[in-house]
Amino acid sequence: MTKKAFIFDLDGVIVDTAKYHFLAWQNLANGLGISFSEEQNEQLKGVSRIRSLEKILEWGNKTISEEEFTSLMTKKNEEYLNYIETMDTSEILPDVPRVLEYLLTKEQAIALGSASKNARIILDKVLLKEKFHEIVDGTDVSKAKPDPEVFLIGAQKLGVAPKDCIVFEDSVAGVQAANIANMVSIGIGDADVLHEADYVFSNFTEITEEFINQLVITKKV
Ligand code: B16
Ligand code: MG
């Protein structure tokens, strides 16, 4: 088999940490007198920490000082870290380990491409860190998705051309980033929301070995 690179987003693809981000952002927003719904949380998926706080302040029509902005970001992250402290392998989304193992047996390259600065901590908690040949996270990038930087760095680190990379993403911004990078985009979630992706699956239980084999042999032009 030829070698391709498979790049996985973290939050919403490997683990469901969106619920913890939601609780921490909601607490922060409510403290500022801003209401914050699950629908609004959807719009923060794949979005960087800074941009997420900017959006919440926009929704609440609130302006704060730079110092307060920095201190709120720290507070949010401390609360988030408390939530993820107790994470374990039970929080890995269904069939993710099966797909990772299959790719490894087929000697394919695997990278993580996440906007989260906490990605390495989470991979450690769920004991999946050693499955990835390269990890690119929020500490390695300067531009947030839909900018393709995170995936392009992943491809470069693995030594695989972007057209030979396949990205698994749960966010619209992430799917757009993969498309802009000229990679194959696979949406994990709702097909209506992720309609820009080349393929969409509800979750990894729907991803067969035949489909993966097909991805490995297909050339993107
Ligand atoms: P942190 P992903 C993203 O991770 C999350 O989807 C997004 O909700 C979060 O704000 C962002 O990471 C930053 O996370 O505050 O931990 O640095 O989906 O790109 O893996
Ligand atoms: Mg995500």
Side-chain angles (χ1 to χ4, degrees):
M1 273 194 184
T2 42
K3 191 160 176 172
K4 293 274 174 100
F6 289 80
I7 307 179
F8 290 72
D9 174 51
L10 179 67
D11 293 340
V13 168
I14 293 174
V15 286
D16 177 20
T17 39
K19 58 187 180 217
Y20 301 132
H21 282 296
F22 174 65
L23 290 172
W25 282 131
Q26 189 183 47
N27 209 3
L28 178 143
N30 292 350
L32 292 167
I34 301 171
S35 66
F36 181 66
S37 66
E38 293 220 32
E39 288 68 40
Q40 285 168 313
N41 192 53
E42 278 299 307
Q43 296 179 48
L44 300 187
K45 284 188 178 173
V47 174
S48 69
R49 202 182 306 166
I50 293 180
R51 188 66 198 120
S52 297
L53 181 52
E54 284 171 354
K55 274 177 168 272
I56 290 170
L57 293 171
E58 279 164 27
W59 289 328
N61 213 2
K62 217 167 173 82
T63 319
I64 57 171
S65 69
E66 218 172 285
E67 292 73 42
E68 201 183 346
F69 191 98
T70 309
S71 108
L72 285 175
M73 287 226 304
T74 306
K75 212 173 128 211
K76 185 269 172 181
N77 196 51
E78 280 168 2
E79 188 174 338
Y80 179 70
L81 286 172
N82 273 339
Y83 289 126
I84 63 172
E85 175 63 32
T86 52
M87 276 184 89
D88 59 25
T89 53
S90 67
E91 300 214 34
I92 300 171
L93 290 169
D95 269 14
V96 169
R98 174 183 66 81
V99 171
L100 286 171
E101 286 306 330
Y102 186 69
L103 291 171
L104 288 171
T105 61
K106 295 289 163 191
E107 295 178 349
Q108 299 300 301
I110 306 179
L112 188 88
S114 165
S116 175
K117 292 188 163 133
N118 298 305
R120 285 178 169 84
I121 301 173
I122 295 169
L123 283 185
D124 260 341
K125 295 257 171 219
V126 300
L127 307 179
L128 285 179
K129 207 176 187 179
E130 74 280 8
K131 306 288 176 203
F132 293 85
H133 300 114
E134 295 291 345
I135 294 174
V136 187
D137 68 12
T139 64
D140 303 303
V141 296
S142 55
K143 296 177 216 120
K145 301 169 188 173
D147 190 285
E149 185 185 23
V150 64
F151 298 139
L152 291 173
I153 294 175
Q156 195 185 25
K157 281 187 160 191
L158 292 170
V160 176
K163 67 174 176 50
D164 292 323
C165 294
I166 296 106
V167 172
F168 295 103
E169 253 294 344
D170 71 312
S171 73
V172 174
V175 165
Q176 289 169 340
N179 291 343
I180 293 167
N182 196 31
M183 299 177 176
V184 175
S185 54
I186 303 186
I188 302 293
D190 186 323
D192 290 334
V193 177
L194 303 173
H195 62 89
E196 290 172 66
D198 293 318
Y199 306 91
V200 183
F201 298 96
S202 305
N203 56 57
F204 280 88
T205 64
E206 295 175 0
I207 297 183
T208 63
E209 292 183 357
E210 290 69 33
F211 176 69
I212 295 171
N213 294 343
Q214 213 45 51
L215 289 171
V216 172
I217 58 172
T218 305
K219 283 215 180 314
K220 187 175 168 101
V221 281

